Amino acid sequence: MIILLLIFLIAFFIGASLASFAGCVAWRFANNVPQTIPRSFCENCGHALCFWQLIPVVGYLLQGGRCAFCKHKIPGHETLIEIMFGLFCGKIFLLHPDSPNLLTLFLSAWLLFLAWTDALKFCVPAASLYGGGALLLLCRIDALAQRNSIDWCFFLLLFCLMRLFEQKQMFGAADTFVCLILSVLFGIQNFCFLLFLSCCLIILHYAFFHQKMLPFIPFILCSYLFFGCFFPQVINV
């Protein structure tokens, strides 16, 4: 039990750190701030952050949810995402403590970064989108070889439908690419589960907030995390 607890805590910290890093890079991309310089700073007062303030979850708690310099409230949803992603990664490592699925971890981080940038700016970096997708397919080239003619017909139909939605400005090119990558990795049936839940979440969001323009990738990420926590066989790559 002690060993499993240590594995979970390490995995939680890795996941929370990935979420924190993804959030930082996404915010810099959305606000046209260089990724290398300056060092991390408070978005309100611009003061450079100390190392302990950058520790995922812990830094937020030690500061009481407010910047230690200007006392401005730190957005709590960022820490919530760190916690959720940390728990998700802990679940991945607990399922396979001897050989954790690193490909699933990379896929999760890729989706998280795309979802965060999509939510902030309604667009994603092309290099991260296509580079990450190509790497995932290369790592699972065996999955491509296992697909039959029915699968390829489904992929073609999905591509045509989403291109049609793009022309009507209902989807973006990044949404189409992400859906194609996930359909290849997960298979037709599992991807349909993922897509159905994503659409249900969008409908619920619209019913409560009446927001007409919505980023789609964050809803895909939420569905992905849900299945990863409760039905991991759906997103097993």
Side-chain angles (χ1 to χ4, degrees), residues 149-185:
S149 57
I150 297 178
D151 292 332
W152 289 110
C153 288
F154 172 83
F155 300 146
L156 179 61
L157 177 62
L158 176 66
F159 176 76
C160 293
L161 285 174
M162 298 204 71
R163 288 292 295 175
L164 179 62
F165 291 148
E166 282 183 46
Q167 294 177 1
K168 295 184 178 295
Q169 298 184 342
M170 299 173 64
F171 282 99
D175 302 327
T176 299
F177 184 78
V178 168
C179 286
L180 287 173
I181 294 295
L182 296 182
S183 63
V184 171
L185 293 176

PDB file of all heavy atoms in Angstrom, residues 149-185:
ATOM      1  N   SER A 149     -11.663  -2.081 -44.156  1.00  0.00           N
ATOM      2  CA  SER A 149     -12.261  -1.167 -45.129  1.00  0.00           C
ATOM      3  C   SER A 149     -13.433  -0.381 -44.533  1.00  0.00           C
ATOM      4  O   SER A 149     -13.651   0.782 -44.874  1.00  0.00           O
ATOM      5  CB  SER A 149     -12.727  -1.946 -46.366  1.00  0.00           C
ATOM      6  OG  SER A 149     -13.643  -2.972 -45.996  1.00  0.00           O
ATOM      7  N   ILE A 150     -14.190  -1.011 -43.622  1.00  0.00           N
ATOM      8  CA  ILE A 150     -15.318  -0.305 -42.980  1.00  0.00           C
ATOM      9  C   ILE A 150     -14.798   0.860 -42.142  1.00  0.00           C
ATOM     10  O   ILE A 150     -15.381   1.957 -42.142  1.00  0.00           O
ATOM     11  CB  ILE A 150     -16.141  -1.279 -42.110  1.00  0.00           C
ATOM     12  CG1 ILE A 150     -16.754  -2.374 -42.986  1.00  0.00           C
ATOM     13  CG2 ILE A 150     -17.224  -0.526 -41.343  1.00  0.00           C
ATOM     14  CD1 ILE A 150     -17.550  -3.403 -42.212  1.00  0.00           C
ATOM     15  N   ASP A 151     -13.699   0.624 -41.424  1.00  0.00           N
ATOM     16  CA  ASP A 151     -13.109   1.684 -40.621  1.00  0.00           C
ATOM     17  C   ASP A 151     -12.684   2.859 -41.497  1.00  0.00           C
ATOM     18  O   ASP A 151     -12.957   4.024 -41.174  1.00  0.00           O
ATOM     19  CB  ASP A 151     -11.898   1.154 -39.851  1.00  0.00           C
ATOM     20  CG  ASP A 151     -12.289   0.158 -38.772  1.00  0.00           C
ATOM     21  OD1 ASP A 151     -13.413   0.265 -38.256  1.00  0.00           O
ATOM     22  OD2 ASP A 151     -11.484  -0.732 -38.461  1.00  0.00           O
ATOM     23  N   TRP A 152     -12.016   2.553 -42.609  1.00  0.00           N
ATOM     24  CA  TRP A 152     -11.536   3.626 -43.475  1.00  0.00           C
ATOM     25  C   TRP A 152     -12.692   4.388 -44.117  1.00  0.00           C
ATOM     26  O   TRP A 152     -12.604   5.601 -44.320  1.00  0.00           O
ATOM     27  CB  TRP A 152     -10.596   3.065 -44.534  1.00  0.00           C
ATOM     28  CG  TRP A 152      -9.274   2.631 -43.960  1.00  0.00           C
ATOM     29  CD1 TRP A 152      -8.803   1.366 -43.828  1.00  0.00           C
ATOM     30  CD2 TRP A 152      -8.271   3.492 -43.400  1.00  0.00           C
ATOM     31  NE1 TRP A 152      -7.572   1.365 -43.226  1.00  0.00           N
ATOM     32  CE2 TRP A 152      -7.223   2.649 -42.957  1.00  0.00           C
ATOM     33  CE3 TRP A 152      -8.155   4.866 -43.230  1.00  0.00           C
ATOM     34  CZ2 TRP A 152      -6.070   3.161 -42.365  1.00  0.00           C
ATOM     35  CZ3 TRP A 152      -7.005   5.378 -42.639  1.00  0.00           C
ATOM     36  CH2 TRP A 152      -5.976   4.527 -42.216  1.00  0.00           C
ATOM     37  N   CYS A 153     -13.769   3.694 -44.419  1.00  0.00           N
ATOM     38  CA  CYS A 153     -14.961   4.371 -44.944  1.00  0.00           C
ATOM     39  C   CYS A 153     -15.546   5.319 -43.891  1.00  0.00           C
ATOM     40  O   CYS A 153     -15.989   6.432 -44.211  1.00  0.00           O
ATOM     41  CB  CYS A 153     -16.014   3.348 -45.378  1.00  0.00           C
ATOM     42  SG  CYS A 153     -15.587   2.446 -46.872  1.00  0.00           S
ATOM     43  N   PHE A 154     -15.535   4.866 -42.636  1.00  0.00           N
ATOM     44  CA  PHE A 154     -16.018   5.715 -41.548  1.00  0.00           C
ATOM     45  C   PHE A 154     -15.134   6.952 -41.396  1.00  0.00           C
ATOM     46  O   PHE A 154     -15.648   8.072 -41.232  1.00  0.00           O
ATOM     47  CB  PHE A 154     -16.043   4.928 -40.244  1.00  0.00           C
ATOM     48  CG  PHE A 154     -16.347   5.775 -39.030  1.00  0.00           C
ATOM     49  CD1 PHE A 154     -17.657   6.091 -38.699  1.00  0.00           C
ATOM     50  CD2 PHE A 154     -15.321   6.252 -38.227  1.00  0.00           C
ATOM     51  CE1 PHE A 154     -17.935   6.879 -37.593  1.00  0.00           C
ATOM     52  CE2 PHE A 154     -15.587   7.038 -37.118  1.00  0.00           C
ATOM     53  CZ  PHE A 154     -16.906   7.349 -36.806  1.00  0.00           C
ATOM     54  N   PHE A 155     -13.818   6.762 -41.450  1.00  0.00           N
ATOM     55  CA  PHE A 155     -12.909   7.895 -41.330  1.00  0.00           C
ATOM     56  C   PHE A 155     -13.143   8.904 -42.453  1.00  0.00           C
ATOM     57  O   PHE A 155     -13.135  10.119 -42.223  1.00  0.00           O
ATOM     58  CB  PHE A 155     -11.451   7.415 -41.354  1.00  0.00           C
ATOM     59  CG  PHE A 155     -11.097   6.473 -40.240  1.00  0.00           C
ATOM     60  CD1 PHE A 155     -10.177   5.460 -40.448  1.00  0.00           C
ATOM     61  CD2 PHE A 155     -11.689   6.582 -38.994  1.00  0.00           C
ATOM     62  CE1 PHE A 155      -9.843   4.576 -39.429  1.00  0.00           C
ATOM     63  CE2 PHE A 155     -11.366   5.708 -37.963  1.00  0.00           C
ATOM     64  CZ  PHE A 155     -10.442   4.704 -38.190  1.00  0.00           C
ATOM     65  N   LEU A 156     -13.347   8.403 -43.657  1.00  0.00           N
ATOM     66  CA  LEU A 156     -13.595   9.277 -44.800  1.00  0.00           C
ATOM     67  C   LEU A 156     -14.908  10.036 -44.633  1.00  0.00           C
ATOM     68  O   LEU A 156     -14.985  11.246 -44.895  1.00  0.00           O
ATOM     69  CB  LEU A 156     -13.608   8.470 -46.099  1.00  0.00           C
ATOM     70  CG  LEU A 156     -13.881   9.253 -47.389  1.00  0.00           C
ATOM     71  CD1 LEU A 156     -12.805  10.318 -47.600  1.00  0.00           C
ATOM     72  CD2 LEU A 156     -13.934   8.312 -48.580  1.00  0.00           C
ATOM     73  N   LEU A 157     -15.938   9.334 -44.161  1.00  0.00           N
ATOM     74  CA  LEU A 157     -17.236   9.963 -43.936  1.00  0.00           C
ATOM     75  C   LEU A 157     -17.135  11.024 -42.839  1.00  0.00           C
ATOM     76  O   LEU A 157     -17.696  12.124 -42.971  1.00  0.00           O
ATOM     77  CB  LEU A 157     -18.270   8.909 -43.558  1.00  0.00           C
ATOM     78  CG  LEU A 157     -19.682   9.429 -43.218  1.00  0.00           C
ATOM     79  CD1 LEU A 157     -20.288  10.136 -44.427  1.00  0.00           C
ATOM     80  CD2 LEU A 157     -20.575   8.276 -42.765  1.00  0.00           C
ATOM     81  N   LEU A 158     -16.424  10.687 -41.771  1.00  0.00           N
ATOM     82  CA  LEU A 158     -16.236  11.644 -40.686  1.00  0.00           C
ATOM     83  C   LEU A 158     -15.514  12.890 -41.177  1.00  0.00           C
ATOM     84  O   LEU A 158     -15.903  14.020 -40.849  1.00  0.00           O
ATOM     85  CB  LEU A 158     -15.442  10.991 -39.550  1.00  0.00           C
ATOM     86  CG  LEU A 158     -15.068  11.895 -38.366  1.00  0.00           C
ATOM     87  CD1 LEU A 158     -16.319  12.347 -37.618  1.00  0.00           C
ATOM     88  CD2 LEU A 158     -14.100  11.179 -37.419  1.00  0.00           C
ATOM     89  N   PHE A 159     -14.491  12.685 -41.979  1.00  0.00           N
ATOM     90  CA  PHE A 159     -13.728  13.818 -42.508  1.00  0.00           C
ATOM     91  C   PHE A 159     -14.613  14.711 -43.378  1.00  0.00           C
ATOM     92  O   PHE A 159     -14.593  15.938 -43.249  1.00  0.00           O
ATOM     93  CB  PHE A 159     -12.536  13.308 -43.314  1.00  0.00           C
ATOM     94  CG  PHE A 159     -11.742  14.394 -43.988  1.00  0.00           C
ATOM     95  CD1 PHE A 159     -10.884  15.189 -43.260  1.00  0.00           C
ATOM     96  CD2 PHE A 159     -11.877  14.619 -45.353  1.00  0.00           C
ATOM     97  CE1 PHE A 159     -10.159  16.209 -43.880  1.00  0.00           C
ATOM     98  CE2 PHE A 159     -11.160  15.623 -45.978  1.00  0.00           C
ATOM     99  CZ  PHE A 159     -10.300  16.419 -45.239  1.00  0.00           C
ATOM    100  N   CYS A 160     -15.410  14.106 -44.245  1.00  0.00           N
ATOM    101  CA  CYS A 160     -16.288  14.872 -45.130  1.00  0.00           C
ATOM    102  C   CYS A 160     -17.338  15.653 -44.340  1.00  0.00           C
ATOM    103  O   CYS A 160     -17.622  16.823 -44.641  1.00  0.00           O
ATOM    104  CB  CYS A 160     -16.965  13.940 -46.136  1.00  0.00           C
ATOM    105  SG  CYS A 160     -15.832  13.187 -47.322  1.00  0.00           S
ATOM    106  N   LEU A 161     -17.910  15.016 -43.320  1.00  0.00           N
ATOM    107  CA  LEU A 161     -18.926  15.679 -42.514  1.00  0.00           C
ATOM    108  C   LEU A 161     -18.345  16.875 -41.755  1.00  0.00           C
ATOM    109  O   LEU A 161     -18.946  17.958 -41.715  1.00  0.00           O
ATOM    110  CB  LEU A 161     -19.546  14.688 -41.523  1.00  0.00           C
ATOM    111  CG  LEU A 161     -20.535  13.672 -42.097  1.00  0.00           C
ATOM    112  CD1 LEU A 161     -20.957  12.671 -41.024  1.00  0.00           C
ATOM    113  CD2 LEU A 161     -21.759  14.374 -42.678  1.00  0.00           C
ATOM    114  N   MET A 162     -17.177  16.678 -41.171  1.00  0.00           N
ATOM    115  CA  MET A 162     -16.586  17.753 -40.396  1.00  0.00           C
ATOM    116  C   MET A 162     -16.092  18.880 -41.301  1.00  0.00           C
ATOM    117  O   MET A 162     -16.112  20.054 -40.918  1.00  0.00           O
ATOM    118  CB  MET A 162     -15.464  17.215 -39.504  1.00  0.00           C
ATOM    119  CG  MET A 162     -15.959  16.205 -38.485  1.00  0.00           C
ATOM    120  SD  MET A 162     -14.927  16.058 -37.026  1.00  0.00           S
ATOM    121  CE  MET A 162     -15.235  17.611 -36.190  1.00  0.00           C
ATOM    122  N   ARG A 163     -15.656  18.538 -42.514  1.00  0.00           N
ATOM    123  CA  ARG A 163     -15.293  19.586 -43.471  1.00  0.00           C
ATOM    124  C   ARG A 163     -16.527  20.400 -43.848  1.00  0.00           C
ATOM    125  O   ARG A 163     -16.457  21.622 -44.022  1.00  0.00           O
ATOM    126  CB  ARG A 163     -14.659  18.965 -44.715  1.00  0.00           C
ATOM    127  CG  ARG A 163     -13.252  18.426 -44.496  1.00  0.00           C
ATOM    128  CD  ARG A 163     -12.271  19.535 -44.250  1.00  0.00           C
ATOM    129  NE  ARG A 163     -12.124  20.385 -45.433  1.00  0.00           N
ATOM    130  CZ  ARG A 163     -11.390  21.503 -45.475  1.00  0.00           C
ATOM    131  NH1 ARG A 163     -10.774  21.918 -44.385  1.00  0.00           N
ATOM    132  NH2 ARG A 163     -11.302  22.213 -46.586  1.00  0.00           N
ATOM    133  N   LEU A 164     -17.665  19.716 -43.948  1.00  0.00           N
ATOM    134  CA  LEU A 164     -18.915  20.417 -44.227  1.00  0.00           C
ATOM    135  C   LEU A 164     -19.275  21.351 -43.080  1.00  0.00           C
ATOM    136  O   LEU A 164     -19.699  22.496 -43.301  1.00  0.00           O
ATOM    137  CB  LEU A 164     -20.035  19.407 -44.464  1.00  0.00           C
ATOM    138  CG  LEU A 164     -21.435  19.982 -44.750  1.00  0.00           C
ATOM    139  CD1 LEU A 164     -21.424  20.807 -46.038  1.00  0.00           C
ATOM    140  CD2 LEU A 164     -22.460  18.859 -44.849  1.00  0.00           C
ATOM    141  N   PHE A 165     -19.089  20.872 -41.849  1.00  0.00           N
ATOM    142  CA  PHE A 165     -19.347  21.707 -40.683  1.00  0.00           C
ATOM    143  C   PHE A 165     -18.385  22.897 -40.631  1.00  0.00           C
ATOM    144  O   PHE A 165     -18.751  23.983 -40.176  1.00  0.00           O
ATOM    145  CB  PHE A 165     -19.235  20.891 -39.402  1.00  0.00           C
ATOM    146  CG  PHE A 165     -20.338  19.890 -39.227  1.00  0.00           C
ATOM    147  CD1 PHE A 165     -20.110  18.681 -38.572  1.00  0.00           C
ATOM    148  CD2 PHE A 165     -21.600  20.144 -39.711  1.00  0.00           C
ATOM    149  CE1 PHE A 165     -21.129  17.758 -38.406  1.00  0.00           C
ATOM    150  CE2 PHE A 165     -22.631  19.232 -39.556  1.00  0.00           C
ATOM    151  CZ  PHE A 165     -22.400  18.039 -38.908  1.00  0.00           C
ATOM    152  N   GLU A 166     -17.147  22.672 -41.095  1.00  0.00           N
ATOM    153  CA  GLU A 166     -16.179  23.766 -41.143  1.00  0.00           C
ATOM    154  C   GLU A 166     -16.664  24.884 -42.055  1.00  0.00           C
ATOM    155  O   GLU A 166     -16.557  26.072 -41.729  1.00  0.00           O
ATOM    156  CB  GLU A 166     -14.823  23.255 -41.640  1.00  0.00           C
ATOM    157  CG  GLU A 166     -13.995  22.514 -40.606  1.00  0.00           C
ATOM    158  CD  GLU A 166     -12.650  22.105 -41.170  1.00  0.00           C
ATOM    159  OE1 GLU A 166     -11.994  22.947 -41.826  1.00  0.00           O
ATOM    160  OE2 GLU A 166     -12.252  20.945 -40.978  1.00  0.00           O
ATOM    161  N   GLN A 167     -17.193  24.505 -43.220  1.00  0.00           N
ATOM    162  CA  GLN A 167     -17.672  25.500 -44.179  1.00  0.00           C
ATOM    163  C   GLN A 167     -18.834  26.302 -43.610  1.00  0.00           C
ATOM    164  O   GLN A 167     -19.018  27.471 -43.946  1.00  0.00           O
ATOM    165  CB  GLN A 167     -18.082  24.816 -45.483  1.00  0.00           C
ATOM    166  CG  GLN A 167     -16.921  24.174 -46.222  1.00  0.00           C
ATOM    167  CD  GLN A 167     -17.357  23.439 -47.479  1.00  0.00           C
ATOM    168  OE1 GLN A 167     -18.536  23.420 -47.821  1.00  0.00           O
ATOM    169  NE2 GLN A 167     -16.397  22.833 -48.179  1.00  0.00           N
ATOM    170  N   LYS A 168     -19.617  25.683 -42.748  1.00  0.00           N
ATOM    171  CA  LYS A 168     -20.732  26.376 -42.101  1.00  0.00           C
ATOM    172  C   LYS A 168     -20.301  27.035 -40.793  1.00  0.00           C
ATOM    173  O   LYS A 168     -21.135  27.509 -40.018  1.00  0.00           O
ATOM    174  CB  LYS A 168     -21.872  25.385 -41.840  1.00  0.00           C
ATOM    175  CG  LYS A 168     -22.486  24.826 -43.122  1.00  0.00           C
ATOM    176  CD  LYS A 168     -23.664  23.920 -42.817  1.00  0.00           C
ATOM    177  CE  LYS A 168     -24.309  23.411 -44.090  1.00  0.00           C
ATOM    178  NZ  LYS A 168     -24.916  24.517 -44.884  1.00  0.00           N
ATOM    179  N   GLN A 169     -18.964  27.016 -40.542  1.00  0.00           N
ATOM    180  CA  GLN A 169     -18.366  27.644 -39.358  1.00  0.00           C
ATOM    181  C   GLN A 169     -18.905  27.059 -38.056  1.00  0.00           C
ATOM    182  O   GLN A 169     -19.031  27.758 -37.051  1.00  0.00           O
ATOM    183  CB  GLN A 169     -18.581  29.158 -39.395  1.00  0.00           C
ATOM    184  CG  GLN A 169     -17.912  29.825 -40.581  1.00  0.00           C
ATOM    185  CD  GLN A 169     -18.046  31.328 -40.560  1.00  0.00           C
ATOM    186  OE1 GLN A 169     -18.888  31.879 -39.872  1.00  0.00           O
ATOM    187  NE2 GLN A 169     -17.204  32.009 -41.329  1.00  0.00           N
ATOM    188  N   MET A 170     -19.214  25.754 -38.092  1.00  0.00           N
ATOM    189  CA  MET A 170     -19.649  25.058 -36.889  1.00  0.00           C
ATOM    190  C   MET A 170     -18.482  24.343 -36.211  1.00  0.00           C
ATOM    191  O   MET A 170     -18.542  24.030 -35.023  1.00  0.00           O
ATOM    192  CB  MET A 170     -20.754  24.055 -37.242  1.00  0.00           C
ATOM    193  CG  MET A 170     -22.000  24.697 -37.825  1.00  0.00           C
ATOM    194  SD  MET A 170     -23.204  23.487 -38.405  1.00  0.00           S
ATOM    195  CE  MET A 170     -23.661  22.672 -36.880  1.00  0.00           C
ATOM    196  N   PHE A 171     -17.445  24.049 -36.964  1.00  0.00           N
ATOM    197  CA  PHE A 171     -16.237  23.421 -36.454  1.00  0.00           C
ATOM    198  C   PHE A 171     -15.035  24.115 -37.071  1.00  0.00           C
ATOM    199  O   PHE A 171     -15.152  24.798 -38.099  1.00  0.00           O
ATOM    200  CB  PHE A 171     -16.186  21.921 -36.784  1.00  0.00           C
ATOM    201  CG  PHE A 171     -17.043  21.063 -35.896  1.00  0.00           C
ATOM    202  CD1 PHE A 171     -18.286  20.651 -36.315  1.00  0.00           C
ATOM    203  CD2 PHE A 171     -16.594  20.666 -34.657  1.00  0.00           C
ATOM    204  CE1 PHE A 171     -19.088  19.860 -35.513  1.00  0.00           C
ATOM    205  CE2 PHE A 171     -17.378  19.874 -33.834  1.00  0.00           C
ATOM    206  CZ  PHE A 171     -18.621  19.471 -34.261  1.00  0.00           C
ATOM    207  N   GLY A 172     -13.866  23.892 -36.460  1.00  0.00           N
ATOM    208  CA  GLY A 172     -12.624  24.404 -37.006  1.00  0.00           C
ATOM    209  C   GLY A 172     -11.775  23.276 -37.549  1.00  0.00           C
ATOM    210  O   GLY A 172     -12.055  22.099 -37.312  1.00  0.00           O
ATOM    211  N   ALA A 173     -10.728  23.625 -38.267  1.00  0.00           N
ATOM    212  CA  ALA A 173      -9.831  22.612 -38.833  1.00  0.00           C
ATOM    213  C   ALA A 173      -9.163  21.795 -37.742  1.00  0.00           C
ATOM    214  O   ALA A 173      -8.930  20.592 -37.895  1.00  0.00           O
ATOM    215  CB  ALA A 173      -8.782  23.290 -39.716  1.00  0.00           C
ATOM    216  N   ALA A 174      -8.862  22.439 -36.613  1.00  0.00           N
ATOM    217  CA  ALA A 174      -8.236  21.716 -35.501  1.00  0.00           C
ATOM    218  C   ALA A 174      -9.191  20.680 -34.917  1.00  0.00           C
ATOM    219  O   ALA A 174      -8.768  19.578 -34.542  1.00  0.00           O
ATOM    220  CB  ALA A 174      -7.799  22.693 -34.412  1.00  0.00           C
ATOM    221  N   ASP A 175     -10.477  21.009 -34.842  1.00  0.00           N
ATOM    222  CA  ASP A 175     -11.475  20.056 -34.344  1.00  0.00           C
ATOM    223  C   ASP A 175     -11.519  18.816 -35.230  1.00  0.00           C
ATOM    224  O   ASP A 175     -11.570  17.680 -34.740  1.00  0.00           O
ATOM    225  CB  ASP A 175     -12.857  20.709 -34.309  1.00  0.00           C
ATOM    226  CG  ASP A 175     -12.889  21.955 -33.440  1.00  0.00           C
ATOM    227  OD1 ASP A 175     -12.147  21.987 -32.440  1.00  0.00           O
ATOM    228  OD2 ASP A 175     -13.651  22.882 -33.760  1.00  0.00           O
ATOM    229  N   THR A 176     -11.508  19.042 -36.544  1.00  0.00           N
ATOM    230  CA  THR A 176     -11.537  17.923 -37.497  1.00  0.00           C
ATOM    231  C   THR A 176     -10.321  17.032 -37.331  1.00  0.00           C
ATOM    232  O   THR A 176     -10.426  15.802 -37.278  1.00  0.00           O
ATOM    233  CB  THR A 176     -11.596  18.457 -38.942  1.00  0.00           C
ATOM    234  OG1 THR A 176     -12.779  19.233 -39.110  1.00  0.00           O
ATOM    235  CG2 THR A 176     -11.597  17.312 -39.946  1.00  0.00           C
ATOM    236  N   PHE A 177      -9.144  17.655 -37.225  1.00  0.00           N
ATOM    237  CA  PHE A 177      -7.904  16.879 -37.114  1.00  0.00           C
ATOM    238  C   PHE A 177      -7.873  16.065 -35.826  1.00  0.00           C
ATOM    239  O   PHE A 177      -7.510  14.878 -35.833  1.00  0.00           O
ATOM    240  CB  PHE A 177      -6.701  17.820 -37.179  1.00  0.00           C
ATOM    241  CG  PHE A 177      -5.377  17.116 -37.181  1.00  0.00           C
ATOM    242  CD1 PHE A 177      -4.896  16.528 -38.342  1.00  0.00           C
ATOM    243  CD2 PHE A 177      -4.615  17.027 -36.029  1.00  0.00           C
ATOM    244  CE1 PHE A 177      -3.675  15.870 -38.344  1.00  0.00           C
ATOM    245  CE2 PHE A 177      -3.399  16.377 -36.017  1.00  0.00           C
ATOM    246  CZ  PHE A 177      -2.924  15.787 -37.188  1.00  0.00           C
ATOM    247  N   VAL A 178      -8.257  16.686 -34.714  1.00  0.00           N
ATOM    248  CA  VAL A 178      -8.252  15.979 -33.429  1.00  0.00           C
ATOM    249  C   VAL A 178      -9.222  14.805 -33.457  1.00  0.00           C
ATOM    250  O   VAL A 178      -8.901  13.701 -32.985  1.00  0.00           O
ATOM    251  CB  VAL A 178      -8.609  16.946 -32.276  1.00  0.00           C
ATOM    252  CG1 VAL A 178      -8.891  16.178 -30.990  1.00  0.00           C
ATOM    253  CG2 VAL A 178      -7.484  17.947 -32.054  1.00  0.00           C
ATOM    254  N   CYS A 179     -10.412  15.005 -34.016  1.00  0.00           N
ATOM    255  CA  CYS A 179     -11.400  13.921 -34.088  1.00  0.00           C
ATOM    256  C   CYS A 179     -10.895  12.770 -34.951  1.00  0.00           C
ATOM    257  O   CYS A 179     -11.100  11.596 -34.616  1.00  0.00           O
ATOM    258  CB  CYS A 179     -12.718  14.448 -34.653  1.00  0.00           C
ATOM    259  SG  CYS A 179     -13.654  15.459 -33.484  1.00  0.00           S
ATOM    260  N   LEU A 180     -10.222  13.077 -36.043  1.00  0.00           N
ATOM    261  CA  LEU A 180      -9.679  12.016 -36.900  1.00  0.00           C
ATOM    262  C   LEU A 180      -8.595  11.222 -36.178  1.00  0.00           C
ATOM    263  O   LEU A 180      -8.554   9.991 -36.262  1.00  0.00           O
ATOM    264  CB  LEU A 180      -9.131  12.618 -38.193  1.00  0.00           C
ATOM    265  CG  LEU A 180     -10.164  13.109 -39.205  1.00  0.00           C
ATOM    266  CD1 LEU A 180      -9.477  13.829 -40.362  1.00  0.00           C
ATOM    267  CD2 LEU A 180     -11.002  11.957 -39.722  1.00  0.00           C
ATOM    268  N   ILE A 181      -7.717  11.918 -35.470  1.00  0.00           N
ATOM    269  CA  ILE A 181      -6.659  11.234 -34.722  1.00  0.00           C
ATOM    270  C   ILE A 181      -7.255  10.315 -33.661  1.00  0.00           C
ATOM    271  O   ILE A 181      -6.858   9.140 -33.524  1.00  0.00           O
ATOM    272  CB  ILE A 181      -5.710  12.257 -34.066  1.00  0.00           C
ATOM    273  CG1 ILE A 181      -4.937  13.040 -35.125  1.00  0.00           C
ATOM    274  CG2 ILE A 181      -4.737  11.548 -33.111  1.00  0.00           C
ATOM    275  CD1 ILE A 181      -3.987  12.212 -35.940  1.00  0.00           C
ATOM    276  N   LEU A 182      -8.235  10.815 -32.919  1.00  0.00           N
ATOM    277  CA  LEU A 182      -8.835  10.010 -31.853  1.00  0.00           C
ATOM    278  C   LEU A 182      -9.624   8.827 -32.412  1.00  0.00           C
ATOM    279  O   LEU A 182      -9.638   7.748 -31.816  1.00  0.00           O
ATOM    280  CB  LEU A 182      -9.750  10.890 -30.997  1.00  0.00           C
ATOM    281  CG  LEU A 182      -9.065  12.017 -30.223  1.00  0.00           C
ATOM    282  CD1 LEU A 182     -10.075  12.777 -29.372  1.00  0.00           C
ATOM    283  CD2 LEU A 182      -7.943  11.475 -29.351  1.00  0.00           C
ATOM    284  N   SER A 183     -10.288   9.023 -33.548  1.00  0.00           N
ATOM    285  CA  SER A 183     -11.046   7.916 -34.138  1.00  0.00           C
ATOM    286  C   SER A 183     -10.118   6.797 -34.599  1.00  0.00           C
ATOM    287  O   SER A 183     -10.455   5.614 -34.482  1.00  0.00           O
ATOM    288  CB  SER A 183     -11.892   8.425 -35.307  1.00  0.00           C
ATOM    289  OG  SER A 183     -11.071   8.935 -36.349  1.00  0.00           O
ATOM    290  N   VAL A 184      -8.943   7.166 -35.101  1.00  0.00           N
ATOM    291  CA  VAL A 184      -7.971   6.149 -35.521  1.00  0.00           C
ATOM    292  C   VAL A 184      -7.401   5.420 -34.303  1.00  0.00           C
ATOM    293  O   VAL A 184      -7.246   4.194 -34.303  1.00  0.00           O
ATOM    294  CB  VAL A 184      -6.835   6.788 -36.347  1.00  0.00           C
ATOM    295  CG1 VAL A 184      -5.721   5.778 -36.598  1.00  0.00           C
ATOM    296  CG2 VAL A 184      -7.374   7.301 -37.669  1.00  0.00           C
ATOM    297  N   LEU A 185      -7.094   6.160 -33.255  1.00  0.00           N
ATOM    298  CA  LEU A 185      -6.480   5.558 -32.070  1.00  0.00           C
ATOM    299  C   LEU A 185      -7.451   4.683 -31.284  1.00  0.00           C
ATOM    300  O   LEU A 185      -7.089   3.603 -30.808  1.00  0.00           O
ATOM    301  CB  LEU A 185      -5.932   6.652 -31.154  1.00  0.00           C
ATOM    302  CG  LEU A 185      -4.746   7.465 -31.673  1.00  0.00           C
ATOM    303  CD1 LEU A 185      -4.395   8.574 -30.687  1.00  0.00           C
ATOM    304  CD2 LEU A 185      -3.541   6.579 -31.926  1.00  0.00           C
TER     305      LEU A 185
END
